[in-house]
Amino acid sequence: MRRGLWMIFRWPLLIGLLSAIGLVSALLDDGLYDALSWFCLGIPLALVARAVLFAPPAQAAPAAHRRRLPHS
């Protein structure tokens, strides 16, 4: 069971850790810390953009499950 939980939560934990590192490093100092924060905060944005741009198209519901509207 433990391995299954790790398989489920490893990517959200990694994204959360990257976001936390990016936010904290942005508060610490300029220069290298700014570059680290841009890098760490850019990865989750890139993952979201990839998911949105390359998502498979939604399929229409079968005819039996469509809601019929009353005729007026």
Side-chain angles (χ1 to χ4, degrees), residues 60-68:
H65 296 291
R66 289 189 194 137
R67 184 177 170 196
R68 296 183 187 257

Side-chain angles (χ1 to χ4, degrees), residues 18-19 22 34-49:
L18 281 172
S19 298
D34 282 341
L36 179 65
S37 69
W38 276 92
F39 177 75
C40 288
L41 293 174
I43 290 175
L45 286 176
L47 291 173
V48 169

Side-chain angles (χ1 to χ4, degrees), residues 47-56:
L47 291 173
V48 169
R50 182 180 147 238
V52 169
L53 293 174
F54 298 111

